[in-house]
Amino acid sequence: MPRYELEYPKDATNLVKRDGDRGVYSLRRIHELVNASHFLHVSLNIPGLPFPACLPMIGQMGSFERPSADLGDPLDLYIHGYATSRLFRTGREGGTEGVPVCVSTTHLDGLVLSLSAFNSSYNYRSVVLFGHATIVEDPEEKLFALELITNSVVPGRWKQSRQPPTNAELQSTGVLRVRIASGSLKYRTGGVEDDKHDLENEDELNSIWTGVVPVHQVFGDALPSSYNRLETPAYISEYTRELTTGNETYAQTNAKEI
Amino acid sequence: MPRYELEYPKDATNLVKRDGDRGVYSLRRIHELVNASHFLHVSLNIPGLPFPACLPMIGQMGSFERPSADLGDPLDLYIHGYATSRLFRTGREGGTEGVPVCVSTTHLDGLVLSLSAFNSSYNYRSVVLFGHATIVEDPEEKLFALELITNSVVPGRWKQSRQPPTNAELQSTGVLRVRIASGSLKYRTGGVEDDKHDLENEDELNSIWTGVVPVHQVFGDALPSSYNRLETPAYISEYTRELTTGNETYAQTNAKEI
């Protein structure tokens, strides 16, 4: 274990102002949540478009320079997509400095139903990352990123699928590397909260149900394709079962009052 | 039923170019998915910030001018949050024209594991909306939006929680109205797909598992607070059960090959 956990420095960009005690700057916790996200929302300004764009993409944190780096280390975000899409065209025009982007992801963990609508809330975890995106040109780095992203669907899937990728596949797939400038995580856990004047109101207490509905994502039994010839391998069935159990445990545990 | 379904006009902003047959422009389907989303990712440019911002927010589509409008009609998006946050400060500076925003949401429905990594994918549904955000100043419209948003957590919850909101609650809560300029939905459903050269490769077929892992969100049993005095009401337990069943049915049905 390292002596201390690295944090993204707090500044005007990433500071969690409202409910500041729910803000987290730990690289490890931020990177963990990003890598546990199947979709990331990537926002950027596209030349000629009168609105910012916010596009769902698939990505993972990693380090090509130091593949053994762990989630608590400084990492880059790799995003993949179709090489001819607007995101990648814009990335190509960003030069060496890169295109300023914001990447965010949110997980819902519970519905928090208080006496007042105002104190009602969600249990959730969200990350916002800021950085500069450039196109990955180095073929080695591109393969590193594609393996990283494929293994985020099911760990080990890259080696378990047909290798190597064809030239046509590599040409039509683009990879962006986002150098992270700043980031933060915000969350809510726990039970309901209410104001004193509501908690002292007998009519409210006698008529309004209060509590938390925990919410979690379930990965169901794998459904084989019509041309599949194999039993479901353990690396798939065990992973999806563990993911589901972990999600349920998290939502249940964190729905409780402290 | 209306004679035809309204669609957002296709233009350079919202056109789904890649896999264009997966693009949907129907107001009804787009608004339904937004209203089924617990979080929306709202991106905008904040003066002085060197990156676009992409923030998780809670919002719903509705029409204050015509509250009886249905999901297939032109609607506004209402977003609520803390009145002093950056989003709302920026909204206040946007004047009558409003601040250009992009709002997106994505639902994961399955992991699609093909012979090649390249053809692997997710089953998903995503919406991207573009529009202009202004602060809602009219107290009636603000209440309309807060009721709409509270009822999106559990239908009917607004009337089942303490009413009316206090002045302090109303002052610290901001509401943004986004006039929608354009939008689209993109999705993937169905089983795995692979290229001919992979499907004809016996080694691949004999060694690689292919299929879909359906994914859905579960709303668990409601956990009462320490000060709750009521049995879980049917409007909560039935709603969360139906939501869970609907999610599971959707993921399972759409994981199948067509």
Side-chain angles (χ1 to χ4, degrees), chain A residues 12 41 45 52 54 86 102 104 106 114-115 157 162 192 194 198 202 206 209-210 212 214 216 218 220 223 225-227 229 257, chain B residues 12 41 45 52 54 86 102 104 106 114-115 157 162 192 194 198 202 204 206 209-210 212 214 216 218 220 223 225-227 229 257:
Chain A
H41 288 89
N45 288 299
C54 182
R86 289 191 290 194
C102 178
S104 71
T106 309
S114 305
L115 293 168
R157 182 67 185 175
R162 184 259 296 149
V192 295
D194 266 300
D198 288 311
E202 285 292 309
N206 287 330
W209 186 90
T210 51
V212 176
H216 74 283
V218 166
L223 306 172
S225 76
S226 56
Y227 51 89
R229 299 180 181 174
E257 285 168 59
Chain B
H41 288 89
N45 289 299
C54 182
R86 289 190 291 193
C102 178
S104 70
T106 309
S114 305
L115 293 169
R157 182 68 185 175
R162 184 258 296 149
V192 295
D194 267 299
D198 288 311
E202 285 292 311
E204 292 183 31
N206 286 329
W209 186 91
T210 51
V212 176
H216 74 282
V218 166
L223 305 171
S225 75
S226 56
Y227 51 89
R229 298 180 182 175
E257 284 167 60

Short mmCIF file of all heavy atoms in Angstrom, two decimals, chain A residues 12 41 45 52 54 86 102 104 106 114-115 157 162 192 194 198 202 206 209-210 212 214 216 218 220 223 225-227 229 257, chain B residues 12 41 45 52 54 86 102 104 106 114-115 157 162 192 194 198 202 204 206 209-210 212 214 216 218 220 223 225-227 229 257:
data_model
loop_
_atom_site.label_atom_id
_atom_site.label_comp_id
_atom_site.label_asym_id
_atom_site.label_seq_id
_atom_site.Cartn_x
_atom_site.Cartn_y
_atom_site.Cartn_z
N ALA A 12 -10.93 25.92 -9.04
CA ALA A 12 -12.25 26.44 -9.45
C ALA A 12 -12.97 25.48 -10.39
O ALA A 12 -14.19 25.49 -10.49
CB ALA A 12 -12.08 27.81 -10.10
N HIS A 41 -20.23 9.90 -20.44
CA HIS A 41 -20.75 11.00 -21.24
C HIS A 41 -19.63 12.00 -21.48
O HIS A 41 -19.09 12.56 -20.53
CB HIS A 41 -21.96 11.64 -20.55
CG HIS A 41 -23.16 10.74 -20.60
ND1 HIS A 41 -23.42 9.79 -19.64
CD2 HIS A 41 -24.13 10.59 -21.55
CE1 HIS A 41 -24.51 9.12 -19.98
NE2 HIS A 41 -24.96 9.58 -21.13
N ASN A 45 -16.85 20.86 -27.44
CA ASN A 45 -17.39 21.81 -28.40
C ASN A 45 -16.92 21.42 -29.79
O ASN A 45 -15.72 21.26 -30.03
CB ASN A 45 -16.96 23.24 -28.06
CG ASN A 45 -17.69 23.74 -26.81
OD1 ASN A 45 -18.90 23.84 -26.79
ND2 ASN A 45 -16.93 24.00 -25.75
N PRO A 52 -22.90 22.80 -27.19
CA PRO A 52 -21.90 21.79 -26.84
C PRO A 52 -22.50 20.43 -27.17
O PRO A 52 -23.72 20.29 -27.25
CB PRO A 52 -21.73 21.97 -25.32
CG PRO A 52 -22.97 22.67 -24.86
CD PRO A 52 -23.48 23.47 -26.02
N CYS A 54 -22.74 16.32 -26.07
CA CYS A 54 -22.51 15.41 -24.94
C CYS A 54 -22.87 14.01 -25.44
O CYS A 54 -24.04 13.71 -25.66
CB CYS A 54 -23.39 15.82 -23.77
SG CYS A 54 -23.16 14.80 -22.31
N ARG A 86 -17.90 12.65 -35.41
CA ARG A 86 -17.61 14.06 -35.11
C ARG A 86 -16.59 14.21 -33.99
O ARG A 86 -15.71 15.05 -34.03
CB ARG A 86 -18.90 14.78 -34.71
CG ARG A 86 -19.85 14.97 -35.86
CD ARG A 86 -20.97 15.91 -35.48
NE ARG A 86 -21.87 15.30 -34.52
CZ ARG A 86 -23.07 15.79 -34.22
NH1 ARG A 86 -23.48 16.91 -34.80
NH2 ARG A 86 -23.85 15.20 -33.35
N CYS A 102 -15.01 17.33 -21.13
CA CYS A 102 -15.45 16.98 -19.79
C CYS A 102 -16.12 15.61 -19.90
O CYS A 102 -16.92 15.38 -20.81
CB CYS A 102 -16.42 18.02 -19.25
SG CYS A 102 -17.05 17.62 -17.61
N SER A 104 -18.22 12.60 -17.81
CA SER A 104 -18.89 12.31 -16.54
C SER A 104 -19.69 11.03 -16.61
O SER A 104 -20.05 10.53 -17.68
CB SER A 104 -19.76 13.50 -16.13
OG SER A 104 -20.86 13.61 -16.97
N THR A 106 -22.56 8.64 -13.92
CA THR A 106 -23.36 8.65 -12.70
C THR A 106 -23.99 7.28 -12.47
O THR A 106 -24.51 6.68 -13.41
CB THR A 106 -24.48 9.71 -12.81
OG1 THR A 106 -23.90 10.95 -13.21
CG2 THR A 106 -25.18 9.91 -11.49
N SER A 114 -38.09 11.34 1.69
CA SER A 114 -38.20 12.04 2.97
C SER A 114 -39.61 12.58 3.17
O SER A 114 -40.44 12.50 2.26
CB SER A 114 -37.21 13.20 2.99
OG SER A 114 -35.91 12.74 2.71
N LEU A 115 -39.85 13.14 4.34
CA LEU A 115 -41.15 13.76 4.61
C LEU A 115 -41.42 14.91 3.63
O LEU A 115 -42.52 15.05 3.10
CB LEU A 115 -41.20 14.29 6.06
CG LEU A 115 -41.17 13.21 7.16
CD1 LEU A 115 -40.92 13.86 8.53
CD2 LEU A 115 -42.48 12.42 7.18
N ARG A 157 -11.58 -10.77 -21.81
CA ARG A 157 -12.27 -11.04 -23.07
C ARG A 157 -11.39 -10.82 -24.31
O ARG A 157 -11.57 -11.47 -25.33
CB ARG A 157 -13.54 -10.19 -23.16
CG ARG A 157 -14.38 -10.42 -24.41
CD ARG A 157 -15.02 -11.80 -24.45
NE ARG A 157 -15.73 -12.06 -25.69
CZ ARG A 157 -16.30 -13.21 -26.02
NH1 ARG A 157 -16.25 -14.24 -25.18
NH2 ARG A 157 -16.91 -13.37 -27.16
N ARG A 162 -11.32 -13.32 -31.03
CA ARG A 162 -10.42 -13.56 -32.18
C ARG A 162 -9.31 -12.50 -32.24
O ARG A 162 -9.59 -11.31 -32.23
CB ARG A 162 -11.24 -13.58 -33.48
CG ARG A 162 -10.39 -13.93 -34.70
CD ARG A 162 -10.00 -12.72 -35.51
NE ARG A 162 -11.17 -12.08 -36.08
CZ ARG A 162 -11.26 -10.79 -36.32
NH1 ARG A 162 -10.28 -9.98 -36.00
NH2 ARG A 162 -12.37 -10.29 -36.85
N VAL A 192 -32.76 8.49 4.94
CA VAL A 192 -33.44 9.77 4.73
C VAL A 192 -32.98 10.79 5.76
O VAL A 192 -32.52 10.44 6.84
CB VAL A 192 -34.98 9.62 4.82
CG1 VAL A 192 -35.50 8.76 3.69
CG2 VAL A 192 -35.41 9.09 6.16
N ASP A 194 -34.45 14.68 7.35
CA ASP A 194 -35.55 15.64 7.32
C ASP A 194 -35.25 16.78 8.28
O ASP A 194 -34.43 16.65 9.20
CB ASP A 194 -36.87 14.95 7.71
CG ASP A 194 -37.64 14.47 6.48
OD1 ASP A 194 -37.98 15.32 5.64
OD2 ASP A 194 -37.87 13.26 6.35
N ASP A 198 -40.25 19.22 10.36
CA ASP A 198 -41.00 18.10 9.79
C ASP A 198 -41.00 16.91 10.75
O ASP A 198 -42.02 16.25 10.94
CB ASP A 198 -40.41 17.68 8.44
CG ASP A 198 -40.69 18.71 7.34
OD1 ASP A 198 -41.87 19.11 7.20
OD2 ASP A 198 -39.76 19.10 6.63
N GLU A 202 -46.54 15.61 13.96
CA GLU A 202 -47.21 14.30 14.12
C GLU A 202 -48.04 13.93 12.89
O GLU A 202 -48.08 12.77 12.50
CB GLU A 202 -48.11 14.32 15.36
CG GLU A 202 -47.36 14.23 16.68
CD GLU A 202 -46.67 12.87 16.88
OE1 GLU A 202 -47.37 11.86 16.73
OE2 GLU A 202 -45.46 12.85 17.16
N ASN A 206 -47.49 10.55 10.77
CA ASN A 206 -48.56 9.57 10.71
C ASN A 206 -49.08 9.31 9.30
O ASN A 206 -49.87 8.38 9.10
CB ASN A 206 -49.73 10.00 11.61
CG ASN A 206 -49.38 9.82 13.08
OD1 ASN A 206 -48.60 8.93 13.44
ND2 ASN A 206 -49.94 10.67 13.93
N TRP A 209 -44.92 7.95 4.30
CA TRP A 209 -43.92 6.89 4.39
C TRP A 209 -42.56 7.48 4.08
O TRP A 209 -42.39 8.25 3.11
CB TRP A 209 -44.23 5.76 3.40
CG TRP A 209 -43.30 4.58 3.58
CD1 TRP A 209 -43.48 3.51 4.38
CD2 TRP A 209 -42.02 4.39 2.94
NE1 TRP A 209 -42.42 2.65 4.30
CE2 TRP A 209 -41.51 3.16 3.43
CE3 TRP A 209 -41.27 5.13 2.03
CZ2 TRP A 209 -40.26 2.66 3.02
CZ3 TRP A 209 -40.03 4.63 1.63
CH2 TRP A 209 -39.54 3.41 2.11
N THR A 210 -41.55 7.13 4.88
CA THR A 210 -40.18 7.59 4.62
C THR A 210 -39.23 6.39 4.62
O THR A 210 -39.40 5.46 5.42
CB THR A 210 -39.70 8.60 5.69
OG1 THR A 210 -39.93 8.04 6.99
CG2 THR A 210 -40.42 9.93 5.58
N VAL A 212 -35.79 4.37 2.12
CA VAL A 212 -34.95 4.30 0.91
C VAL A 212 -35.31 3.06 0.10
O VAL A 212 -35.49 1.98 0.66
CB VAL A 212 -33.45 4.26 1.31
CG1 VAL A 212 -32.57 4.08 0.07
CG2 VAL A 212 -33.05 5.51 2.06
N PRO A 214 -33.46 0.81 -2.35
CA PRO A 214 -32.14 0.58 -2.96
C PRO A 214 -32.27 0.18 -4.43
O PRO A 214 -33.22 -0.51 -4.81
CB PRO A 214 -31.54 -0.57 -2.13
CG PRO A 214 -32.69 -1.19 -1.41
CD PRO A 214 -33.83 -0.21 -1.36
N HIS A 216 -30.04 -1.30 -7.87
CA HIS A 216 -28.76 -1.81 -8.37
C HIS A 216 -28.94 -2.47 -9.73
O HIS A 216 -30.05 -2.83 -10.14
CB HIS A 216 -28.14 -2.79 -7.37
CG HIS A 216 -28.80 -4.13 -7.31
ND1 HIS A 216 -29.99 -4.36 -6.66
CD2 HIS A 216 -28.44 -5.32 -7.84
CE1 HIS A 216 -30.33 -5.63 -6.77
NE2 HIS A 216 -29.42 -6.24 -7.49
N VAL A 218 -28.35 -5.43 -12.44
CA VAL A 218 -28.22 -6.89 -12.47
C VAL A 218 -27.71 -7.35 -13.84
O VAL A 218 -28.23 -6.92 -14.87
CB VAL A 218 -29.57 -7.56 -12.17
CG1 VAL A 218 -29.54 -9.05 -12.53
CG2 VAL A 218 -29.93 -7.38 -10.71
N GLY A 220 -27.67 -10.50 -15.96
CA GLY A 220 -28.42 -11.76 -15.95
C GLY A 220 -27.63 -12.93 -16.51
O GLY A 220 -26.44 -12.82 -16.83
N LEU A 223 -27.00 -15.44 -22.44
CA LEU A 223 -27.81 -16.12 -23.46
C LEU A 223 -26.94 -16.42 -24.66
O LEU A 223 -26.50 -15.50 -25.37
CB LEU A 223 -28.98 -15.21 -23.89
CG LEU A 223 -29.87 -14.67 -22.77
CD1 LEU A 223 -30.86 -13.64 -23.31
CD2 LEU A 223 -30.63 -15.82 -22.11
N SER A 225 -25.50 -17.36 -28.35
CA SER A 225 -25.94 -17.06 -29.72
C SER A 225 -26.34 -18.35 -30.43
O SER A 225 -26.04 -19.45 -29.96
CB SER A 225 -24.80 -16.39 -30.49
OG SER A 225 -23.84 -17.36 -30.86
N SER A 226 -26.97 -18.20 -31.59
CA SER A 226 -27.39 -19.38 -32.36
C SER A 226 -26.18 -20.17 -32.86
O SER A 226 -26.28 -21.36 -33.13
CB SER A 226 -28.26 -18.93 -33.53
OG SER A 226 -27.55 -18.00 -34.32
N TYR A 227 -25.02 -19.52 -32.99
CA TYR A 227 -23.84 -20.25 -33.48
C TYR A 227 -22.82 -20.54 -32.39
O TYR A 227 -21.74 -21.04 -32.66
CB TYR A 227 -23.19 -19.51 -34.65
CG TYR A 227 -22.89 -18.04 -34.45
CD1 TYR A 227 -21.67 -17.63 -33.92
CD2 TYR A 227 -23.81 -17.07 -34.81
CE1 TYR A 227 -21.38 -16.28 -33.75
CE2 TYR A 227 -23.53 -15.71 -34.64
CZ TYR A 227 -22.32 -15.33 -34.11
OH TYR A 227 -22.05 -13.99 -33.94
N ARG A 229 -21.05 -22.68 -29.57
CA ARG A 229 -20.88 -24.13 -29.40
C ARG A 229 -20.41 -24.49 -27.99
O ARG A 229 -20.19 -25.66 -27.70
CB ARG A 229 -19.85 -24.66 -30.41
CG ARG A 229 -20.26 -24.45 -31.85
CD ARG A 229 -19.20 -25.01 -32.79
NE ARG A 229 -19.58 -24.78 -34.19
CZ ARG A 229 -18.79 -25.07 -35.22
NH1 ARG A 229 -17.61 -25.61 -35.01
NH2 ARG A 229 -19.20 -24.82 -36.45
N GLU A 257 -29.36 3.95 7.46
CA GLU A 257 -29.00 5.15 8.24
C GLU A 257 -27.72 4.87 9.02
O GLU A 257 -27.48 3.76 9.44
CB GLU A 257 -30.14 5.50 9.20
CG GLU A 257 -31.30 6.15 8.47
CD GLU A 257 -32.56 6.25 9.33
OE1 GLU A 257 -32.50 6.89 10.38
OE2 GLU A 257 -33.59 5.70 8.90
N ALA B 12 -27.84 18.86 -39.25
CA ALA B 12 -26.42 18.55 -38.96
C ALA B 12 -26.20 18.34 -37.47
O ALA B 12 -25.24 17.67 -37.06
CB ALA B 12 -25.54 19.69 -39.47
N HIS B 41 -27.28 13.93 -18.08
CA HIS B 41 -26.00 14.64 -18.12
C HIS B 41 -26.18 15.91 -18.94
O HIS B 41 -26.51 15.84 -20.13
CB HIS B 41 -24.91 13.73 -18.69
CG HIS B 41 -24.52 12.66 -17.70
ND1 HIS B 41 -25.17 11.45 -17.65
CD2 HIS B 41 -23.62 12.66 -16.68
CE1 HIS B 41 -24.65 10.73 -16.65
NE2 HIS B 41 -23.71 11.44 -16.05
N ASN B 45 -21.27 25.44 -21.60
CA ASN B 45 -20.02 26.18 -21.42
C ASN B 45 -20.23 27.22 -20.34
O ASN B 45 -21.16 28.02 -20.40
CB ASN B 45 -19.60 26.83 -22.74
CG ASN B 45 -19.11 25.78 -23.73
OD1 ASN B 45 -18.14 25.08 -23.46
ND2 ASN B 45 -19.80 25.65 -24.85
N PRO B 52 -15.66 22.50 -21.38
CA PRO B 52 -17.11 22.41 -21.23
C PRO B 52 -17.38 21.68 -19.91
O PRO B 52 -16.53 20.95 -19.42
CB PRO B 52 -17.55 21.58 -22.43
CG PRO B 52 -16.34 20.82 -22.86
CD PRO B 52 -15.14 21.64 -22.47
N CYS B 54 -19.98 19.02 -17.84
CA CYS B 54 -21.00 18.00 -18.05
C CYS B 54 -21.43 17.52 -16.67
O CYS B 54 -20.67 16.82 -15.99
CB CYS B 54 -20.42 16.86 -18.89
SG CYS B 54 -21.61 15.56 -19.26
N ARG B 86 -23.18 26.57 -10.30
CA ARG B 86 -22.64 27.16 -11.53
C ARG B 86 -23.63 27.07 -12.69
O ARG B 86 -23.77 27.99 -13.48
CB ARG B 86 -21.35 26.44 -11.93
CG ARG B 86 -20.20 26.75 -11.02
CD ARG B 86 -18.90 26.22 -11.59
NE ARG B 86 -18.87 24.76 -11.57
CZ ARG B 86 -17.76 24.06 -11.78
NH1 ARG B 86 -16.62 24.67 -12.03
NH2 ARG B 86 -17.78 22.75 -11.76
N CYS B 102 -26.55 20.77 -24.06
CA CYS B 102 -26.82 19.45 -24.62
C CYS B 102 -27.10 18.53 -23.44
O CYS B 102 -26.38 18.57 -22.44
CB CYS B 102 -25.60 18.96 -25.41
SG CYS B 102 -25.82 17.30 -26.08
N SER B 104 -27.90 14.56 -22.25
CA SER B 104 -27.91 13.18 -22.74
C SER B 104 -28.07 12.19 -21.61
O SER B 104 -27.80 12.48 -20.45
CB SER B 104 -26.67 12.89 -23.58
OG SER B 104 -25.53 12.85 -22.77
N THR B 106 -28.10 7.62 -21.05
CA THR B 106 -27.83 6.33 -21.67
C THR B 106 -28.24 5.19 -20.73
O THR B 106 -27.96 5.26 -19.53
CB THR B 106 -26.32 6.20 -21.99
OG1 THR B 106 -25.91 7.35 -22.71
CG2 THR B 106 -26.04 4.97 -22.82
N SER B 114 -19.18 -10.97 -29.20
CA SER B 114 -19.05 -11.59 -30.52
C SER B 114 -17.73 -12.35 -30.62
O SER B 114 -16.90 -12.28 -29.71
CB SER B 114 -19.10 -10.50 -31.59
OG SER B 114 -20.27 -9.74 -31.45
N LEU B 115 -17.53 -13.03 -31.74
CA LEU B 115 -16.26 -13.72 -31.99
C LEU B 115 -15.10 -12.72 -32.01
O LEU B 115 -14.05 -12.96 -31.43
CB LEU B 115 -16.32 -14.48 -33.31
CG LEU B 115 -17.30 -15.68 -33.37
CD1 LEU B 115 -17.47 -16.17 -34.81
CD2 LEU B 115 -16.80 -16.83 -32.48
N ARG B 157 -45.75 11.02 -5.66
CA ARG B 157 -45.04 11.32 -4.42
C ARG B 157 -45.22 12.77 -3.98
O ARG B 157 -45.19 13.08 -2.79
CB ARG B 157 -43.55 11.01 -4.58
CG ARG B 157 -42.71 11.26 -3.31
CD ARG B 157 -43.04 10.28 -2.21
NE ARG B 157 -42.32 10.60 -0.98
CZ ARG B 157 -42.50 9.94 0.18
NH1 ARG B 157 -43.37 8.96 0.26
NH2 ARG B 157 -41.81 10.27 1.24
N ARG B 162 -44.89 16.23 2.33
CA ARG B 162 -45.38 17.43 3.02
C ARG B 162 -45.55 18.60 2.05
O ARG B 162 -44.63 18.95 1.32
CB ARG B 162 -44.43 17.83 4.15
CG ARG B 162 -44.94 19.02 4.96
CD ARG B 162 -44.25 20.33 4.60
NE ARG B 162 -42.84 20.29 4.90
CZ ARG B 162 -41.94 20.95 4.21
NH1 ARG B 162 -42.28 21.66 3.13
NH2 ARG B 162 -40.66 20.87 4.55
N VAL B 192 -25.79 -11.21 -31.01
CA VAL B 192 -24.46 -10.91 -31.55
C VAL B 192 -24.49 -10.90 -33.07
O VAL B 192 -25.36 -11.49 -33.70
CB VAL B 192 -23.42 -11.95 -31.08
CG1 VAL B 192 -23.22 -11.87 -29.58
CG2 VAL B 192 -23.81 -13.36 -31.49
N ASP B 194 -21.50 -11.14 -36.36
CA ASP B 194 -20.09 -11.37 -36.68
C ASP B 194 -19.90 -11.34 -38.19
O ASP B 194 -20.85 -11.51 -38.94
CB ASP B 194 -19.62 -12.72 -36.10
CG ASP B 194 -19.00 -12.56 -34.73
OD1 ASP B 194 -17.99 -11.84 -34.62
OD2 ASP B 194 -19.54 -13.13 -33.76
N ASP B 198 -15.26 -14.67 -39.85
CA ASP B 198 -15.21 -15.23 -38.49
C ASP B 198 -16.20 -16.39 -38.36
O ASP B 198 -15.90 -17.42 -37.76
CB ASP B 198 -15.53 -14.15 -37.45
CG ASP B 198 -14.40 -13.13 -37.31
OD1 ASP B 198 -13.24 -13.56 -37.17
OD2 ASP B 198 -14.69 -11.92 -37.34
N GLU B 202 -13.71 -22.42 -38.14
CA GLU B 202 -14.04 -23.49 -37.17
C GLU B 202 -13.31 -23.32 -35.84
O GLU B 202 -13.86 -23.60 -34.78
CB GLU B 202 -13.71 -24.86 -37.78
CG GLU B 202 -14.70 -25.33 -38.84
CD GLU B 202 -16.07 -25.66 -38.26
OE1 GLU B 202 -16.14 -26.39 -37.26
OE2 GLU B 202 -17.09 -25.16 -38.80
N GLU B 204 -12.37 -20.61 -34.37
CA GLU B 204 -13.04 -19.57 -33.57
C GLU B 204 -14.32 -20.11 -32.97
O GLU B 204 -14.59 -19.94 -31.77
CB GLU B 204 -13.35 -18.35 -34.44
CG GLU B 204 -12.13 -17.59 -34.90
CD GLU B 204 -12.49 -16.34 -35.70
OE1 GLU B 204 -13.56 -15.76 -35.43
OE2 GLU B 204 -11.72 -15.98 -36.59
N ASN B 206 -15.13 -23.04 -32.29
CA ASN B 206 -14.91 -24.08 -31.28
C ASN B 206 -14.28 -23.55 -29.99
O ASN B 206 -14.17 -24.30 -29.02
CB ASN B 206 -14.03 -25.19 -31.86
CG ASN B 206 -14.80 -26.05 -32.85
OD1 ASN B 206 -16.02 -26.22 -32.70
ND2 ASN B 206 -14.11 -26.59 -33.85
N TRP B 209 -16.82 -18.32 -26.82
CA TRP B 209 -18.24 -18.23 -26.44
C TRP B 209 -18.82 -16.94 -27.01
O TRP B 209 -18.21 -15.86 -26.89
CB TRP B 209 -18.40 -18.25 -24.92
CG TRP B 209 -19.85 -18.30 -24.51
CD1 TRP B 209 -20.58 -19.42 -24.28
CD2 TRP B 209 -20.74 -17.19 -24.29
NE1 TRP B 209 -21.87 -19.10 -23.95
CE2 TRP B 209 -22.01 -17.73 -23.95
CE3 TRP B 209 -20.61 -15.81 -24.37
CZ2 TRP B 209 -23.12 -16.94 -23.67
CZ3 TRP B 209 -21.72 -15.01 -24.10
CH2 TRP B 209 -22.95 -15.58 -23.75
N THR B 210 -19.99 -17.02 -27.60
CA THR B 210 -20.67 -15.83 -28.12
C THR B 210 -22.11 -15.79 -27.59
O THR B 210 -22.78 -16.82 -27.47
CB THR B 210 -20.73 -15.82 -29.65
OG1 THR B 210 -21.26 -17.07 -30.10
CG2 THR B 210 -19.36 -15.60 -30.27
N VAL B 212 -25.21 -12.92 -25.46
CA VAL B 212 -25.55 -11.64 -24.83
C VAL B 212 -25.79 -11.85 -23.34
O VAL B 212 -26.46 -12.81 -22.95
CB VAL B 212 -26.81 -11.03 -25.49
CG1 VAL B 212 -27.23 -9.75 -24.77
CG2 VAL B 212 -26.57 -10.75 -26.97
N PRO B 214 -27.85 -10.07 -20.66
CA PRO B 214 -28.81 -8.99 -20.47
C PRO B 214 -28.55 -8.24 -19.15
O PRO B 214 -28.14 -8.86 -18.16
CB PRO B 214 -30.17 -9.70 -20.42
CG PRO B 214 -29.88 -11.14 -20.17
CD PRO B 214 -28.46 -11.40 -20.55
N HIS B 216 -30.13 -5.25 -16.43
CA HIS B 216 -31.26 -4.38 -16.09
C HIS B 216 -31.13 -3.86 -14.66
O HIS B 216 -30.42 -4.41 -13.83
CB HIS B 216 -32.59 -5.09 -16.30
CG HIS B 216 -32.90 -6.12 -15.26
ND1 HIS B 216 -32.34 -7.36 -15.24
CD2 HIS B 216 -33.74 -6.08 -14.18
CE1 HIS B 216 -32.79 -8.07 -14.22
NE2 HIS B 216 -33.65 -7.30 -13.54
N VAL B 218 -32.60 -2.98 -10.98
CA VAL B 218 -33.57 -3.52 -10.02
C VAL B 218 -33.84 -2.49 -8.92
O VAL B 218 -32.91 -1.93 -8.35
CB VAL B 218 -33.04 -4.83 -9.40
CG1 VAL B 218 -33.85 -5.22 -8.17
CG2 VAL B 218 -33.06 -5.95 -10.43
N GLY B 220 -35.15 -2.42 -5.36
CA GLY B 220 -35.34 -3.41 -4.30
C GLY B 220 -36.49 -3.08 -3.35
O GLY B 220 -37.23 -2.12 -3.55
N LEU B 223 -36.79 0.17 2.22
CA LEU B 223 -36.29 0.06 3.60
C LEU B 223 -36.80 1.26 4.40
O LEU B 223 -36.39 2.39 4.15
CB LEU B 223 -34.76 0.05 3.61
CG LEU B 223 -34.08 -1.01 2.73
CD1 LEU B 223 -32.57 -0.76 2.66
CD2 LEU B 223 -34.36 -2.40 3.28
N SER B 225 -37.41 4.20 7.15
CA SER B 225 -36.51 4.99 8.00
C SER B 225 -36.78 4.67 9.46
O SER B 225 -37.79 4.03 9.81
CB SER B 225 -36.74 6.48 7.76
OG SER B 225 -37.96 6.88 8.39
N SER B 226 -35.91 5.11 10.34
CA SER B 226 -36.07 4.87 11.79
C SER B 226 -37.31 5.58 12.33
O SER B 226 -37.88 5.17 13.33
CB SER B 226 -34.83 5.34 12.54
OG SER B 226 -34.59 6.71 12.24
N TYR B 227 -37.76 6.65 11.65
CA TYR B 227 -38.94 7.37 12.15
C TYR B 227 -40.19 7.11 11.32
O TYR B 227 -41.24 7.73 11.55
CB TYR B 227 -38.66 8.87 12.29
CG TYR B 227 -38.07 9.56 11.07
CD1 TYR B 227 -38.89 10.10 10.07
CD2 TYR B 227 -36.69 9.68 10.93
CE1 TYR B 227 -38.34 10.74 8.97
CE2 TYR B 227 -36.14 10.33 9.82
CZ TYR B 227 -36.96 10.85 8.86
OH TYR B 227 -36.41 11.49 7.77
N ARG B 229 -43.59 5.37 10.31
CA ARG B 229 -44.62 4.70 11.12
C ARG B 229 -45.59 3.89 10.26
O ARG B 229 -46.52 3.29 10.79
CB ARG B 229 -45.44 5.76 11.88
CG ARG B 229 -44.61 6.56 12.86
CD ARG B 229 -45.47 7.59 13.58
NE ARG B 229 -44.66 8.40 14.48
CZ ARG B 229 -45.12 9.44 15.17
NH1 ARG B 229 -46.41 9.80 15.07
NH2 ARG B 229 -44.32 10.12 15.97
N GLU B 257 -31.79 -12.84 -30.66
CA GLU B 257 -31.55 -12.63 -32.09
C GLU B 257 -32.89 -12.52 -32.80
O GLU B 257 -33.86 -13.16 -32.40
CB GLU B 257 -30.75 -13.80 -32.67
CG GLU B 257 -29.28 -13.72 -32.30
CD GLU B 257 -28.53 -15.00 -32.57
OE1 GLU B 257 -28.48 -15.43 -33.73
OE2 GLU B 257 -27.97 -15.58 -31.62
#
